Amino acid sequence: MALTAQQIADLMPDTSQLESDEPEMESSLHYLQLALLVAGLDWLWRDREDYFIGANLTIYYSQQQLKNREFRGLDFFVAKNTVKRPRRSWVVWQEDGKYPDIIIELLSDSTAKVDRQEKKNLYQNRFRTPEYFWFSPEDLELAGFRLSGEEYQPILMNESGLLWSHVLGLYLGIYNNQLRYFSPEGELIPTPEEAALQAQTLAETERQRAETERQRAERLAEQLRALGINPD
């Protein structure tokens, strides 16, 4: 007897609880780079609730993939127009068929060939992810691709060595040997720590300015009193 769609769904396991199946990052350089990408974008988009950032997270995109254990782990990805909430993994059919809008892979000796070929083809042909970047924290290789028609086309660097991301509305580029975000004007997007330090520096500068102004006013008042003039 044929089963209805609801009966089939009732027989399926709760895939919303699928755990990520990714190994640890290859080195401390990779871990720090990944943390930087996550923290920087989360800080910049801190007032938004319509995106999800995946970091070293497994993406499940087909039932057959589950059976064959052909999992795909993405170092970093962003899905827009979704709910910002914790997830154990990214399960495409639990996300209304949505795939990542941008993917960044961190190259290493063990993954570079797969990232440049197999994964690039997967993201192009199956995921149809609009933008794909890779970056090596070790030798600083950086490349970006944008989906044009059926295939990825290289994203050209501007005169400052930055790659534009339509998805993020930001540039990606290298600063102090790390992959960072830059504003449309080419200005470095600060991390939360950098933003806090900038605010602290600005506050200290303002305090010193106010103190200098107070001392100047006191000196002027003393000079006026010496001349027999009441400064009040």
Side-chain angles (χ1 to χ4, degrees):
M1 182 180 68
L3 298 177
T4 66
Q6 184 58 52
Q7 288 173 325
I8 294 175
D10 291 340
L11 292 173
M12 295 297 294
D14 182 8
T15 52
S16 66
Q17 300 302 311
L18 281 171
E19 298 281 356
S20 185
D21 190 36
E22 297 310 302
E24 295 294 324
M25 302 300 291
E26 284 82 353
S27 71
S28 59
L29 281 177
H30 290 77
Y31 175 81
L32 291 172
Q33 176 63 75
L34 182 60
L36 186 61
L37 289 172
V38 174
L41 194 59
D42 256 342
W43 170 251
L44 183 64
W45 288 358
R46 58 193 177 277
D47 296 326
R48 296 177 55 170
E49 296 292 333
D50 62 346
Y51 71 96
F52 174 75
I53 295 177
N56 198 33
L57 204 69
T58 300
I59 182 167
Y60 297 94
Y61 57 92
S62 75
Q63 303 285 347
Q64 189 62 41
Q65 173 207 26
L66 274 179
K67 295 178 182 178
N68 298 341
R69 296 190 60 82
E70 295 175 352
F71 305 146
R72 286 295 179 269
L74 281 61
D75 290 334
F76 177 90
F77 70 87
V78 177
K80 298 171 64 178
N81 301 315
T82 188
V83 179
K84 185 181 179 181
R85 61 175 175 80
R87 291 168 170 84
R88 298 172 184 268
S89 60
W90 186 265
V91 184
V92 170
W93 59 92
Q94 292 281 352
E95 304 287 349
D96 296 325
K98 185 171 184 57
Y99 286 88
D101 292 295
I102 182 174
I103 297 171
I104 301 176
E105 294 287 4
L106 302 179
L107 302 182
S108 67
D109 289 342
S110 62
T111 67
K113 184 177 181 180
V114 172
D115 290 336
R116 293 191 187 103
Q117 299 178 11
E118 182 179 336
K119 281 191 172 182
K120 181 171 177 277
N121 290 333
L122 177 70
Y123 304 155
Q124 170 186 279
N125 301 325
R126 178 64 184 266
F127 288 18
R128 305 296 292 165
T129 294
E131 292 178 345
Y132 173 45
F133 295 82
W134 66 57
F135 173 69
S136 170
E138 296 170 341
D139 63 22
L140 309 185
E141 178 186 342
L142 173 62
F145 304 87
R146 184 173 296 120
L147 202 59
S148 178
E150 296 298 315
E151 296 182 349
Y152 278 136
Q153 298 298 328
I155 300 174
L156 301 180
M157 287 185 176
N158 67 7
E159 62 277 6
S160 299
L162 305 177
L163 298 176
W164 177 251
S165 167
H166 286 320
V167 171
L168 300 179
L170 300 168
Y171 282 107
L172 288 168
I174 300 171
Y175 176 80
N176 282 349
N177 295 332
Q178 292 178 310
L179 184 61
R180 297 288 300 269
Y181 304 111
F182 294 80
S183 72
E185 296 73 34
E187 298 178 355
L188 181 69
I189 300 296
T191 64
E193 294 79 8
E194 290 168 345
L197 182 59
Q198 290 174 2
Q200 181 181 354
T201 300
L202 183 61
E204 179 61 22
T205 300
E206 179 60 25
R207 186 195 67 78
Q208 291 177 358
R209 186 201 63 79
E211 178 63 18
T212 299
E213 181 63 24
R214 184 189 66 79
Q215 292 175 0
R216 188 195 67 81
E218 287 183 352
R219 288 194 299 270
L220 178 59
E222 291 176 359
Q223 292 170 357
L224 290 175
R225 280 191 289 268
L227 295 172
I229 302 173
N230 187 350
D232 298 329

